[in-house]
Amino acid sequence: MSGSETEETKDGTRDGTADEQGPEGTAAGTATATATAGDPAADPATDPANSAAPASDSAAGPAASAELAAGERLRDRLTWQKLTVLPGVLALVLLGTWLWFRDAQLDTITRNALAGDIVLLRLRDHVQMTAISTFFVLIIAIPLGIALTRPLLRRATPVAMSFANLGQAVPSLGLLVLLVFWLNIGQNTAVIGMVVYAVLPVLANTITGLRNIDPGLTEAAKGIGMSSLGVLTKVELPLAVPLILAGVRNALVLNVGTATLATFIGGGGLGDLIASGITTQRMPVLMLGSILTVALALLVDWLASLVELVLRPRGLEGTS
Amino acid sequence: MSFWEYLGNRHVQLLADTLQHASAVLQCMVVATVLGVAVGVLTYRSEWAGDLATTAGATILTVPSLALIGLLIPLVGLGVAPTVIALVLYGLLPIVRNAIVGLRGVDPALIDAARGIGMSRVRQLVKVELPLAWPPILTGIRVSTQMLMGIAAIAAFASGPGLGNSIFRGVASLGSANALNQVLAGTLGIVVLALLFDAAYVVVGRLTTPRGIRA
């Protein structure tokens, strides 16, 4: 750093260009900083899921046109690979697992743990819990995010954001188990815990998406006589779609993961197989539960990424 | 027994769990940071490799932690080994991603200037590029740490160390007088640790961000 500074002062013109690029550099710096500031809220655990998606979204901010053009090409290029690679790999893994189980010599405990259609039942539980909780997360978090960015409630936005950040510090396991003391054990408690846990990141994503919209655009919309409802539905929401969709994907993946913990509070799901595999020391049960959970999580993330591509507003791609 | 009485009575055990939790997360974060920055440095120049590293990390993060730990147990057994491997793997992605974004965001003119005054490739990286990319990397470290706090709790089910054990003791004795206290102590302990780590990172950020790019 000190080296480049001495270099700058040595030469007047170099100094000028360096200065000029200085602010640009810091602008990029703050851009990543805001992106990352959104990040902790957006994805701590998520971070898990939407990882790649929000990063590219936030990057779109500073270098909008180049990034979007690249996005368009990316879309063309990715189509067939994106459609085939992941499902192909998953199909191979599941086929391999199935073949192994067909020929494997299983002892009584293992056979009991997998008896009948128990595996399918657990899988159905898992999908059901994920779907229901994601549904509630969306109908709670997105309207709430819209409400919190309206002028009337705008003062509450920072409070909501820091609350969302703070909420991320609560471990999902602790949250689920604490709910048991209040709501008793069972699947409903698990679903409620999943909703509580996933609402905050999606809310933070929605608020960030709506707040990052160029005020010039909303001003222009108002200027041509749009009502505030019109501005919201025709301008703000379409522009915030990518971030909101990233939040949805995030919520889905979070919920698939949290649903594995439902087993600890009597909620069923694929976590049952993993937990009983660990407690009875039966590796086939453990492996089957884990492989199915991983496959489900990757499949859900893949489907959500396709939806993200399809629903992204045309205006945000290709043109600058 | 009230929660405060419980804390008073069991503070030795709880303190031990808390210290184990903090040290497991801290040590895994150190490993994840070194590996993550290394992967970032090795891949950021190639669009292909950088994207591959980011995608691979994102895929790992999609995997639910209990399932990843479940897959590791047949390979490495129960206890510390699966916990450490899982924590490092999950901690990697935010750091790799932010390292790549940060390193790619460094103004090419600055690198050019560094080369112009005769800096070697390694010196450019250490003296110019990494210091400028440090703030986003540190943010990645913060995100990772917060995430690992929660995952470490789940790892206690595979006999891992830490406050998750307090939560699982409560689960195992649901209905007993101390179940709520055990779960509450474990959960609040993790929240407090997460907030303390976050505060520590703010201080670290102040101390380690090069003066020229401080906000």
Side-chain angles (χ1 to χ4, degrees):
Chain A
M1 199 57 212
S2 59
S4 64
E5 266 164 23
T6 53
E7 171 68 7
E8 282 163 16
T9 46
K10 223 190 293 182
D11 182 333
T13 53
R14 168 73 48 101
D15 195 22
T17 52
D19 250 11
E20 201 175 40
Q21 270 138 4
E24 205 181 285
T26 52
T30 51
T32 48
T34 52
T36 41
D39 252 354
D43 67 355
T46 125
D47 192 352
N50 64 8
S51 48
S56 60
D57 281 335
S58 41
S65 56
E67 184 73 21
L68 290 176
E72 177 76 348
R73 264 183 283 120
L74 196 73
R75 190 173 169 181
D76 289 340
R77 200 177 59 203
L78 275 183
T79 331
W80 69 268
Q81 289 174 325
K82 224 180 148 34
L83 283 173
T84 54
V85 171
L86 187 102
V89 171
L90 287 185
L92 281 180
V93 169
L94 291 177
L95 185 70
T97 316
W98 182 72
L99 286 177
W100 187 85
F101 265 89
R102 207 186 49 174
D103 299 336
Q105 302 291 322
L106 303 175
D107 63 5
T108 329
I109 297 179
T110 311
R111 258 180 287 143
N112 281 343
L114 305 174
D117 46 5
I118 208 162
V119 176
L120 284 181
L121 278 176
R122 296 288 169 264
L123 183 62
R124 209 193 58 193
D125 279 354
H126 207 102
V127 173
Q128 209 175 336
M129 282 191 285
T130 307
I132 297 174
S133 58
T134 305
F135 174 74
F136 280 108
V137 166
L138 297 184
I139 63 169
I140 293 171
I142 292 180
L144 195 60
I146 293 172
L148 282 172
T149 48
R150 296 309 94 196
L152 200 62
L153 287 174
R154 196 159 286 164
R155 280 209 200 134
T157 318
V159 182
M161 289 297 273
S162 45
F163 187 70
N165 278 327
L166 195 70
Q168 289 304 319
V170 180
S172 50
L173 176 68
L175 179 69
L176 281 189
V177 178
L178 281 179
L179 280 177
V180 168
F181 293 97
W182 182 36
L183 300 166
N184 241 323
I185 60 168
Q187 206 165 61
N188 291 339
T189 310
V191 169
I192 292 172
M194 289 156 70
V195 172
V196 173
Y197 192 64
V199 153
L200 292 176
V202 178
L203 178 67
N205 251 22
T206 312
I207 292 178
T208 317
L210 287 171
R211 271 206 311 199
N212 282 358
I213 291 169
D214 180 1
L217 292 178
T218 49
E219 283 298 312
K222 272 184 219 145
I224 61 168
M226 276 191 184
S227 66
S228 54
L229 187 68
V231 175
L232 176 67
T233 54
K234 297 238 166 68
V235 180
E236 290 184 87
L237 284 180
L239 285 173
V241 160
L243 262 183
I244 294 177
L245 285 176
V248 172
R249 184 174 169 190
N250 192 357
L252 271 171
V253 174
L254 267 182
N255 284 335
V256 174
T258 319
T260 57
L261 306 179
T263 178
F264 301 126
I265 60 170
L270 290 169
D272 267 14
L273 298 179
I274 302 177
S276 70
I278 293 178
T279 46
T280 59
Q281 297 279 323
R282 289 301 177 276
M283 293 309 146
V285 185
L286 173 60
M287 291 296 286
L288 184 64
S290 304
I291 290 173
L292 284 179
T293 311
V294 173
L296 181 66
L298 294 178
L299 190 71
V300 164
D301 185 49
W302 174 74
L303 286 174
S305 73
L306 291 189
V307 172
E308 230 176 334
L309 278 184
V310 173
L311 287 188
R312 177 164 295 200
R314 291 281 176 276
L316 289 180
E317 303 196 19
T319 58
S320 61
Chain B
M1 205 189 301
S2 81
F3 182 58
W4 296 115
E5 285 169 17
Y6 175 81
L7 284 189
N9 276 345
R10 306 290 163 85
H11 68 274
V12 178
Q13 165 95 63
L14 286 173
L15 223 53
D17 279 345
T18 310
L19 282 179
Q20 281 188 348
H21 202 94
S23 93
V25 170
L26 186 67
Q27 294 178 49
C28 292
M29 277 312 298
V30 171
V31 177
T33 304
V34 171
L35 284 180
V37 172
V39 171
V41 165
L42 290 176
T43 57
Y44 80 103
R45 285 175 166 256
S46 139
E47 191 184 340
W48 177 84
D51 291 351
L52 183 73
T54 314
T55 315
T59 310
I60 295 176
L61 270 192
T62 312
V63 173
S65 42
L66 189 62
L68 181 66
I69 293 168
L71 288 176
L72 288 170
I73 289 174
L75 301 175
V76 296
L78 289 167
V80 172
T83 309
V84 169
I85 297 176
L87 289 186
V88 170
L89 279 178
Y90 282 117
L92 273 179
L93 171 79
I95 300 174
V96 170
R97 188 215 308 153
N98 282 22
I100 292 177
V101 170
L103 286 168
R104 283 182 179 170
V106 173
D107 183 355
L110 293 177
I111 301 169
D112 212 36
R115 193 171 337 137
I117 61 166
M119 279 193 185
S120 70
R121 184 69 198 93
V122 176
R123 262 172 65 84
Q124 285 170 39
L125 198 65
V126 174
K127 291 264 168 195
V128 180
E129 293 178 75
L130 279 178
L132 287 174
W134 178 241
I137 294 176
L138 191 65
T139 312
I141 295 175
R142 282 175 72 175
V143 172
S144 283
T145 307
Q146 220 179 30
M147 190 170 72
L148 291 199
M149 284 289 170
I151 295 174
I154 296 166
F157 192 69
S159 315
L163 285 164
N165 286 302
S166 183
I167 299 178
F168 279 115
R169 276 196 292 272
V171 173
S173 59
L174 274 183
S176 80
N178 270 333
L180 177 60
N181 287 335
Q182 284 168 328
V183 176
L184 209 55
T187 308
L188 290 180
I190 293 172
V191 173
V192 169
L193 273 186
L195 296 179
L196 283 179
F197 267 73
D198 218 45
Y201 283 131
V202 173
V203 176
V204 170
R206 286 270 161 76
L207 295 177
T208 55
T209 306
R211 203 166 310 140
I213 56 170
R214 233 173 263 171

